[in-house]
Amino acid sequence: MCCVLACTFIDVFMLVEQVFEDISGKFFVENPYAPQKDPRTEVVRFVRNTDQDHILGIYSSSKVGVEPEIMKTNSGLLRKINENDFTLEDLHGEVLQFPTPCPNCGIECQTNMKLTNVPHFKEVVIMATNCDACGHRSNEVKSGCGIEEKGRRIEVKVRSREDFSRDVLKSETCSLEVPELDLSVGPYAVGGRFTTVEGLLVAMKEQVTSQGAVFIDSADDETKNRISKFVAELDAVLEGNREITLVLDDPAGNSYVQSFTHPAPDSGITITDYERTYAHNEELGLNAMNVDNYEKNDN
Ligand SMILES: [Zn+2]
C-alpha cells in the first residue's frame, strides 16, 4: 500500500493500543465488526500542515512561485477560476463544464458544475462527472457557504415509498447511521451527494458490499455472514418491507432532508442542532484556524 511510506507507527502501550498516523489519509484497518461500527478503533481526520503537504509533493502555486501549467490552460485538472470570470448569475444560469481525469479509468472526461439553490436550505455547488469511456458516473456536492455555527443531526423515519422520495443533501462531512440495523457509515465512505433517501440507502448498501468484497479472501466466515445478513436486511428496507430510521449527523451543519410539510413541522423528521466538540472542530480543521481565541471547554 502506497501510504505506508507516509505512515508513522507508535506502539503506545505494548500490545494495548496502536496509533497510526497517515498524512495521505489512505491508511486502512480492517473492521472485524463490519458493517457495524468497530468499537475498538477510532479514526480521527485532521487537516495537513504545510510541511506534511510538502512531504506528499503537494505545493500551492504561491509557494512554487509559478502558476502550474495546468492552471494556464483549459485542459487537465480543474481550471483556475479568476475573480470576476463568472458572476453569480452566470453560475445560477448555466452549467459550467471542465475536463477532469475520470476517477475510475483516468481518461479525460467532462465534469459539469452548477450552483443550485436547495429550497428552504441554501446554495450548494453540484459537480457531476460522466465518463464516456468507462461509463463511470459520480456526483459531488460542496456547500456553497462554509461551515455552519452548529452541527446538525437529522433523523428521518423511513416507513413508506413516500419517505424514499425525500430529497437529501448529504455533505462530505456527514456520517450516516441506521440504528435498527446497527449500521454506521463514516462521512468519507459515502461522499457528498445530492440525492434522495432511497439513493442514500442504495449508496450505503454499495459501500458495505464493496467493503465486503475487499476482504473476500481475508475475512472470516463470521464477518462474511454479517455482511450478507446486513445486505439482506437493507434489501428488505429498499423493498419497503422494513421500517427504519436514517440518521444524518453533520458536524458542519451542511446537510439537509426535504420536509413534506414546510414550514410546519414534518412528523417524519427530527432535527437537532448541537454544539460541536473539540474532536469535531479538529476534524473540520477549525481549531488550527482559531488558535488565538480558542477555549478548550469540552473534549
Ligand atoms: Zn472512465
Side-chain angles (χ1 to χ4, degrees):
M1 210 183 282
C2 63
C3 66
V4 174
L5 279 174
C7 194
T8 56
F9 170 84
I10 307 155
D11 200 348
V12 180
F13 307 107
M14 287 289 281
L15 299 173
V16 177
E17 182 178 274
Q18 291 174 341
V19 179
F20 298 92
E21 181 180 299
D22 177 11
I23 57 175
S24 80
K26 288 181 178 166
F27 191 79
F28 185 80
V29 178
E30 182 178 0
N31 170 9
Y33 303 90
Q36 292 158 24
K37 205 173 178 168
D38 187 344
R40 297 194 297 179
T41 304
E42 189 189 359
V43 181
V44 178
R45 299 256 168 182
F46 59 91
V47 176
R48 273 191 298 273
N49 62 33
T50 312
D51 288 344
Q52 291 169 330
D53 273 345
H54 291 177
I55 291 170
L56 295 176
I58 301 169
Y59 293 88
S60 65
S61 54
S62 59
K63 277 278 181 322
V64 181
V66 290
E67 286 228 325
E69 203 57 37
I70 219 158
M71 290 194 174
K72 291 187 204 156
T73 65
N74 280 355
S75 63
L77 279 168
L78 285 176
R79 185 170 70 90
K80 187 180 176 188
I81 297 176
N82 295 312
E83 215 176 326
N84 303 325
D85 263 4
F86 303 100
T87 65
L88 211 55
E89 287 70 30
D90 280 341
L91 285 165
H92 275 298
E94 63 182 300
V95 175
L96 300 177
Q97 276 203 335
F98 50 87
T100 40
C102 167
N104 187 45
C105 71
I107 291 172
E108 188 175 288
C109 63
Q110 287 296 322
T111 288
N112 297 325
M113 182 174 109
K114 193 178 184 348
L115 191 65
T116 301
N117 195 17
V118 177
H120 314 303
F121 189 56
K122 60 162 120 183
E123 286 179 336
V124 294
V125 177
I126 296 183
M127 292 161 75
T129 302
N130 296 323
C131 177
D132 291 335
C134 74
H136 176 84
R137 288 164 157 270
S138 62
N139 88 59
E140 268 290 305
V141 177
K142 306 277 178 205
S143 166
C145 34
I147 291 167
E148 293 293 312
E149 195 113 310
K150 289 187 173 180
R152 174 164 286 190
R153 184 182 158 92
I154 309 170
E155 292 180 30
V156 193
K157 293 197 182 103
V158 184
R159 299 164 293 197
S160 66
R161 284 255 139 219
E162 196 189 26
D163 291 313
F164 284 170
S165 68
R166 288 183 196 273
D167 285 333
V168 174
L169 175 69
K170 180 215 169 288
S171 90
E172 65 266 44
T173 52
C174 176
S175 58
L176 304 167
E177 247 178 87
V178 179
E180 292 86 349
L181 303 185
D182 218 352
L183 170 77
S184 53
V185 174
Y188 304 95
V190 176
R193 287 171 194 233
F194 187 45
T195 179
T196 57
V197 165
E198 184 175 21
L200 213 46
L201 291 170
V202 169
M204 290 166 86
K205 183 186 154 188
E206 281 169 0
Q207 203 276 329
V208 172
T209 313
S210 67
Q211 193 185 9
V214 169
F215 300 115
I216 204 80
D217 294 326
S218 71
D220 54 61
D221 286 346
E222 199 191 325
T223 304
K224 285 178 192 165
N225 289 341
R226 200 168 37 236
I227 289 174
S228 36
K229 181 167 165 270
F230 165 78
V231 170
E233 282 177 321
L234 204 42
D235 280 339
V237 174
L238 286 164
E239 283 156 18
N241 297 328
R242 178 153 187 191
E243 295 181 5
I244 53 149
T245 314
L246 178 63
V247 182
L248 291 90
D249 190 344
D250 187 356
N254 282 329
S255 296
Y256 156 90
V257 177
Q258 181 193 10
S259 160
F260 288 140
T261 56
H262 187 87
D266 185 325
S267 65
I269 302 179
T270 311
I271 296 176
T272 316
D273 287 340
Y274 61 85
E275 296 290 340
R276 277 188 291 273
T277 62
Y278 179 83
H280 285 140
N281 285 333
E282 194 71 11
E283 195 146 320
L284 296 172
L286 295 176
N287 292 338
M289 287 157 68
N290 290 324
V291 277
D292 292 341
N293 55 11
Y294 170 69
E295 285 174 52
K296 186 165 178 172
N297 51 15
D298 53 18
N299 54 7

